Amino acid sequence: MQNRLADIILFHRKRSGLTQQELAELAGVGKNMIYELENGKISVRLDNLLKVLQVMNIELNFHSPLWEAFLREHSDAKR
Amino acid sequence: MQNRLADIILFHRKRSGLTQQELAELAGVGKNMIYELENGKISVRLDNLLKVLQVMNIELNFHSPLWEAFLREHSDAKR
DNA sequence: CACATTTACCCTGTTTTAAGGGAAAATATG
DNA sequence: CATATTTTCCCTTAAAACAGGGTAAATGTG
């Protein structure tokens, strides 16, 4: 389970009952891109990755101590 | 705050007191790449983005209902 | 075990990112 | 207000991703 991204993609695709080809078409990318993604390539383009994630309802998020503190400060305005 | 990634990068860079140039050098990418990242370009290469995030201690993670359920099931072995 | 489907992995041409130089515009600082 | 620093954005060249075709290997299924 070292390369997480590849696993997540594969796992979701299988669960969705899609072939690489079908997922590629749904996401609007090439079939090779899906294959490479599932096989550990990390030099893919971010926009393409995002398309694939969207199809399978996978959310992407960032966090760091600094950013969380910032968000906390600025969410006070909401409530 | 529509384009989150750009904001996160900018925010962290400023907090770190780095110029685009310096961040680029630390991450081992070109200066233009940092500029573009901070200005909403999302067709950057994932490996380059990861390098930048690492320098600033920003974690990247994925989540989806399916994946969380899976992790929960398999974390039982740990305890 | 035969057959159908899917995946792995080649190859080709096209398109795009990436790096880094340069210089004007914007911003910071004495 | 003058000057130094930083950012924006143009240009060029090289490297790499991308799409999609093809086919053998692997896997699934009757």
Side-chain angles (χ1 to χ4, degrees), chain A residues 24-36:
Chain A
E25 279 161 16
L26 283 172
V29 302
K31 69 180 177 26
N32 283 334
M33 201 261 180
I34 303 293
Y35 166 68
E36 291 169 337

Side-chain angles (χ1 to χ4, degrees), chain B residues 13-42:
Chain B
R13 181 173 65 78
K14 286 300 186 186
R15 280 270 166 123
S16 310
L18 297 168
T19 64
Q20 293 177 348
Q21 183 86 259
E22 290 168 333
L23 175 53
E25 279 160 17
L26 283 172
V29 302
K31 68 181 180 18
N32 283 333
M33 200 261 179
I34 303 293
Y35 166 69
E36 291 168 338
L37 256 184
E38 291 184 353
N39 285 82
K41 182 172 181 181
I42 58 166

Side-chain angles (χ1 to χ4, degrees), chain A residues 6-24:
Chain A
D7 296 325
I8 293 175
I9 303 282
L10 177 63
F11 173 81
H12 280 81
R13 181 174 64 77
K14 286 300 188 187
R15 280 270 165 124
S16 310
L18 297 168
T19 63
Q20 294 176 348
Q21 182 86 260
E22 289 167 333
L23 175 54

